[in-house]
Structure formats: C-alpha cells, structure tokens
Amino acid sequence: MYSPDSTLELRLPRDLFLFPKQNAGFQIPFFLSTEEEAAKVRPPAVVKTLEERLQEFSEGQREILSSFKKAVRDAPWYSEAEDDDWLLLRYLIARNFDVKKSFCMLEKSVHWRRKKDADNWVCEACLKDPNRHMMQFVGWDLQNRPVCFMAMRWGPDRKEPLKHCVATFNHLVKLMPLGVEQWVCVTDFETYSHIRDSSPKMGLSVIHAIQDHFPERLGLMILVDAPKAFSVLWKLLSAVIEEKTRKKVLFTYKKSKPTIESEFSKIFPPALAEYLCESYERSRTAALPATPVWYPAQSNE
C-alpha cells in the first residue's frame, strides 16, 4: 500500500483539493490528478447566464425578486459583492417567494456567517490528520454539479463534523461554474454503527447548516447501503428536514435495487460512475488504495 504522504509529491490541481495531504482511504481519480486531466472534465465557466435563469421564473416572481433586492440593499448588512441576484433567488425559492420570510432567513444567515467567520472555516483536525474525516470532491456530474464523496469507514471522527462539513460545502460552491447552483453528495454507510453514528445532535447541526445557510445548494444526496439501523435516526431527522430536501435523498445499494451501478450511470459521467462503484467495493472489503491514483480497470496506464 502506498503512503498518504506520497500524494504530496503529486502535482494536484490546487483548487480541487482542500488539503495538501489526502485521507489514506481516498484514491485520487485520474481525471483530477493533474491540471491537464482536470481540464478535460472541468465544466465550462458559464453553464447558464443570469438572464437565462430569470426566464425560468414568472413575471410575478421576477417582480418579487426586484422588491426583495431593494429590501436587501437597504439593509445595514448588505454586501454588493455577496448578495447578488443568484443568492437572492435561492433564498426566495427556499421560502416560496415570501419576501418577509426570505429576508429574515438571509439576515440570520449573514449574521451567522460573519459572527462565526464561517466562510473561512478550515478543519484543523484534518490539517493535522487527514484520516479524521472523509468528505472529498471527486468531479462533476452530468449536470455540471460538483460531487462530494463521503465514506464512514475512512472518516471515523464523529465528534465535531460541522466545521469540516461547512468547509467542504464552501469548497463545493467555489467549484460551481456560473449557472450551476447545487452540489451532489454520495455517502457510503459501510461500518455505520447505531451507537457511534446515530447522534441526532450531530446530524441536526449539519442539516440546519444546509437548510438555513446553504439554501437550495443540495441537489441530490445519495445514500449507499444505509442499514436498517439507520431508519431510526432517519425517522428522527425527517421530522426537521424540509419536504423539498427529503425528496432529494436517494437510497441506493450495492446488491439490492436500485443498485449503484444502475443509478450512477444516470447521474455521473462513465469514469466517475466507475470510480465510485470501485471505491464502494474497496470500502466493503476494507482495502486501502494500492496506488495513490485510480485508473479504470481497462486502462493500460
């Protein structure tokens, strides 16, 4: 097995990796291993213009956006650089175009970010030891949404996941081209323990962060092989998860239907789908990567 320190010798694209040293259980997909390879899979800088996005809304909704924009610009916390139309639309959508509720939500989020300095959060634990958590950007899906790969086996620390999660969410946002507003998360439940992993407090802190401060950012959450024991926690969490968010959760399995092979092929480019399937098989057998970089099985490289 290779040493995680060897990833320091790779010329990885800096913007695609949160940490200089990678988790021991993470194998870097070849299409992200160099600037040259990454350039082949990076989405275009502009996927959709604001004008095109606005045309997807009714005239009445566009008028509400104008009213909301005026209210926000008059607020003492308004920032021209941060509070653009894309952001305002997400908060309006999150509150069904209710200006008062959207304003309240945005105001609380602005205060939270500034008070906590959340935009600059870094997981200090993973800087010291990258094996504490496992939330890694692995590419873009067929809709040009950044994809986050999470594995319980390779990220055993459950004490304080919020800072790592928010740092990862901020990273995913930076990897969105203009016109792409959501990310995809894929979670492997291998080694899930009801005793260790079923803390409602831990799950709620992350859920509230997504719903309150990253509205309309989650495009899809794929849960792989969630065990029956997880149903207890899911029932508790579902009570506070908004309906629109619950509809974005997809349960998949390695052997039962819907299988990861059938679902991944609909969502991800072929190389990323194959990479994720192989990563989950490796997780099932607790096998660390044999090499720092992953290549498709049929590749001669």
Side-chain angles (χ1 to χ4, degrees), residues 67-79:
S67 299
F68 186 39
K69 189 186 306 184
K70 184 180 184 304
V72 170
R73 285 178 174 174
D74 290 339
W77 42 261
Y78 168 70
S79 167

PDB file of all heavy atoms in Angstrom, residues 67-79:
ATOM      1  N   SER A  67     -38.406  43.506  -5.653  1.00  0.00           N
ATOM      2  CA  SER A  67     -38.777  44.032  -4.337  1.00  0.00           C
ATOM      3  C   SER A  67     -37.821  43.523  -3.261  1.00  0.00           C
ATOM      4  O   SER A  67     -37.404  44.277  -2.368  1.00  0.00           O
ATOM      5  CB  SER A  67     -40.214  43.621  -3.993  1.00  0.00           C
ATOM      6  OG  SER A  67     -41.130  44.136  -4.926  1.00  0.00           O
ATOM      7  N   PHE A  68     -37.489  42.259  -3.357  1.00  0.00           N
ATOM      8  CA  PHE A  68     -36.571  41.652  -2.389  1.00  0.00           C
ATOM      9  C   PHE A  68     -35.195  42.299  -2.491  1.00  0.00           C
ATOM     10  O   PHE A  68     -34.541  42.595  -1.484  1.00  0.00           O
ATOM     11  CB  PHE A  68     -36.490  40.148  -2.651  1.00  0.00           C
ATOM     12  CG  PHE A  68     -35.680  39.381  -1.641  1.00  0.00           C
ATOM     13  CD1 PHE A  68     -35.726  39.685  -0.288  1.00  0.00           C
ATOM     14  CD2 PHE A  68     -34.871  38.322  -2.045  1.00  0.00           C
ATOM     15  CE1 PHE A  68     -34.993  38.964   0.647  1.00  0.00           C
ATOM     16  CE2 PHE A  68     -34.132  37.597  -1.127  1.00  0.00           C
ATOM     17  CZ  PHE A  68     -34.190  37.919   0.222  1.00  0.00           C
ATOM     18  N   LYS A  69     -34.765  42.546  -3.707  1.00  0.00           N
ATOM     19  CA  LYS A  69     -33.458  43.160  -3.933  1.00  0.00           C
ATOM     20  C   LYS A  69     -33.391  44.543  -3.285  1.00  0.00           C
ATOM     21  O   LYS A  69     -32.393  44.904  -2.661  1.00  0.00           O
ATOM     22  CB  LYS A  69     -33.196  43.258  -5.438  1.00  0.00           C
ATOM     23  CG  LYS A  69     -31.784  43.688  -5.795  1.00  0.00           C
ATOM     24  CD  LYS A  69     -31.633  43.910  -7.292  1.00  0.00           C
ATOM     25  CE  LYS A  69     -32.056  42.719  -8.102  1.00  0.00           C
ATOM     26  NZ  LYS A  69     -31.800  42.921  -9.558  1.00  0.00           N
ATOM     27  N   LYS A  70     -34.462  45.308  -3.422  1.00  0.00           N
ATOM     28  CA  LYS A  70     -34.495  46.646  -2.828  1.00  0.00           C
ATOM     29  C   LYS A  70     -34.425  46.567  -1.306  1.00  0.00           C
ATOM     30  O   LYS A  70     -33.703  47.330  -0.654  1.00  0.00           O
ATOM     31  CB  LYS A  70     -35.766  47.382  -3.246  1.00  0.00           C
ATOM     32  CG  LYS A  70     -35.832  48.827  -2.736  1.00  0.00           C
ATOM     33  CD  LYS A  70     -37.101  49.515  -3.176  1.00  0.00           C
ATOM     34  CE  LYS A  70     -37.095  50.983  -2.750  1.00  0.00           C
ATOM     35  NZ  LYS A  70     -36.889  51.148  -1.299  1.00  0.00           N
ATOM     36  N   ALA A  71     -35.179  45.625  -0.731  1.00  0.00           N
ATOM     37  CA  ALA A  71     -35.178  45.475   0.725  1.00  0.00           C
ATOM     38  C   ALA A  71     -33.793  45.085   1.236  1.00  0.00           C
ATOM     39  O   ALA A  71     -33.320  45.602   2.258  1.00  0.00           O
ATOM     40  CB  ALA A  71     -36.210  44.425   1.131  1.00  0.00           C
ATOM     41  N   VAL A  72     -33.126  44.194   0.519  1.00  0.00           N
ATOM     42  CA  VAL A  72     -31.799  43.734   0.930  1.00  0.00           C
ATOM     43  C   VAL A  72     -30.779  44.863   0.794  1.00  0.00           C
ATOM     44  O   VAL A  72     -29.920  45.054   1.665  1.00  0.00           O
ATOM     45  CB  VAL A  72     -31.374  42.506   0.096  1.00  0.00           C
ATOM     46  CG1 VAL A  72     -29.901  42.160   0.348  1.00  0.00           C
ATOM     47  CG2 VAL A  72     -32.254  41.308   0.432  1.00  0.00           C
ATOM     48  N   ARG A  73     -30.861  45.619  -0.279  1.00  0.00           N
ATOM     49  CA  ARG A  73     -29.910  46.716  -0.488  1.00  0.00           C
ATOM     50  C   ARG A  73     -30.041  47.804   0.569  1.00  0.00           C
ATOM     51  O   ARG A  73     -29.086  48.535   0.842  1.00  0.00           O
ATOM     52  CB  ARG A  73     -30.102  47.304  -1.884  1.00  0.00           C
ATOM     53  CG  ARG A  73     -29.545  46.421  -2.996  1.00  0.00           C
ATOM     54  CD  ARG A  73     -29.786  47.016  -4.364  1.00  0.00           C
ATOM     55  NE  ARG A  73     -29.129  46.236  -5.409  1.00  0.00           N
ATOM     56  CZ  ARG A  73     -29.258  46.461  -6.711  1.00  0.00           C
ATOM     57  NH1 ARG A  73     -30.047  47.452  -7.130  1.00  0.00           N
ATOM     58  NH2 ARG A  73     -28.626  45.705  -7.593  1.00  0.00           N
ATOM     59  N   ASP A  74     -31.210  47.912   1.165  1.00  0.00           N
ATOM     60  CA  ASP A  74     -31.421  48.909   2.216  1.00  0.00           C
ATOM     61  C   ASP A  74     -30.983  48.408   3.590  1.00  0.00           C
ATOM     62  O   ASP A  74     -30.958  49.179   4.553  1.00  0.00           O
ATOM     63  CB  ASP A  74     -32.902  49.306   2.276  1.00  0.00           C
ATOM     64  CG  ASP A  74     -33.332  50.116   1.058  1.00  0.00           C
ATOM     65  OD1 ASP A  74     -32.445  50.697   0.395  1.00  0.00           O
ATOM     66  OD2 ASP A  74     -34.544  50.150   0.765  1.00  0.00           O
ATOM     67  N   ALA A  75     -30.647  47.122   3.681  1.00  0.00           N
ATOM     68  CA  ALA A  75     -30.251  46.546   4.969  1.00  0.00           C
ATOM     69  C   ALA A  75     -28.824  46.969   5.323  1.00  0.00           C
ATOM     70  O   ALA A  75     -27.967  47.089   4.442  1.00  0.00           O
ATOM     71  CB  ALA A  75     -30.341  45.025   4.909  1.00  0.00           C
ATOM     72  N   PRO A  76     -28.539  47.200   6.604  1.00  0.00           N
ATOM     73  CA  PRO A  76     -27.192  47.636   7.012  1.00  0.00           C
ATOM     74  C   PRO A  76     -26.107  46.601   6.751  1.00  0.00           C
ATOM     75  O   PRO A  76     -24.927  46.942   6.671  1.00  0.00           O
ATOM     76  CB  PRO A  76     -27.362  47.911   8.515  1.00  0.00           C
ATOM     77  CG  PRO A  76     -28.542  47.091   8.926  1.00  0.00           C
ATOM     78  CD  PRO A  76     -29.465  47.112   7.750  1.00  0.00           C
ATOM     79  N   TRP A  77     -26.486  45.348   6.614  1.00  0.00           N
ATOM     80  CA  TRP A  77     -25.508  44.279   6.404  1.00  0.00           C
ATOM     81  C   TRP A  77     -25.306  43.943   4.927  1.00  0.00           C
ATOM     82  O   TRP A  77     -24.542  43.040   4.580  1.00  0.00           O
ATOM     83  CB  TRP A  77     -25.941  43.011   7.144  1.00  0.00           C
ATOM     84  CG  TRP A  77     -27.409  42.696   7.033  1.00  0.00           C
ATOM     85  CD1 TRP A  77     -28.371  42.975   7.957  1.00  0.00           C
ATOM     86  CD2 TRP A  77     -28.093  42.063   5.932  1.00  0.00           C
ATOM     87  NE1 TRP A  77     -29.614  42.551   7.513  1.00  0.00           N
ATOM     88  CE2 TRP A  77     -29.465  41.987   6.273  1.00  0.00           C
ATOM     89  CE3 TRP A  77     -27.680  41.554   4.705  1.00  0.00           C
ATOM     90  CZ2 TRP A  77     -30.422  41.425   5.427  1.00  0.00           C
ATOM     91  CZ3 TRP A  77     -28.625  40.997   3.854  1.00  0.00           C
ATOM     92  CH2 TRP A  77     -29.978  40.934   4.217  1.00  0.00           C
ATOM     93  N   TYR A  78     -25.959  44.667   4.041  1.00  0.00           N
ATOM     94  CA  TYR A  78     -25.893  44.365   2.606  1.00  0.00           C
ATOM     95  C   TYR A  78     -24.464  44.444   2.073  1.00  0.00           C
ATOM     96  O   TYR A  78     -23.698  45.348   2.406  1.00  0.00           O
ATOM     97  CB  TYR A  78     -26.777  45.341   1.830  1.00  0.00           C
ATOM     98  CG  TYR A  78     -26.565  45.308   0.322  1.00  0.00           C
ATOM     99  CD1 TYR A  78     -26.968  44.213  -0.427  1.00  0.00           C
ATOM    100  CD2 TYR A  78     -25.945  46.372  -0.338  1.00  0.00           C
ATOM    101  CE1 TYR A  78     -26.775  44.174  -1.803  1.00  0.00           C
ATOM    102  CE2 TYR A  78     -25.748  46.346  -1.707  1.00  0.00           C
ATOM    103  CZ  TYR A  78     -26.159  45.242  -2.436  1.00  0.00           C
ATOM    104  OH  TYR A  78     -25.962  45.203  -3.799  1.00  0.00           O
ATOM    105  N   SER A  79     -24.115  43.483   1.225  1.00  0.00           N
ATOM    106  CA  SER A  79     -22.814  43.469   0.562  1.00  0.00           C
ATOM    107  C   SER A  79     -23.041  43.273  -0.933  1.00  0.00           C
ATOM    108  O   SER A  79     -23.585  42.251  -1.356  1.00  0.00           O
ATOM    109  CB  SER A  79     -21.939  42.331   1.102  1.00  0.00           C
ATOM    110  OG  SER A  79     -20.805  42.128   0.282  1.00  0.00           O
TER     111      SER A  79
END
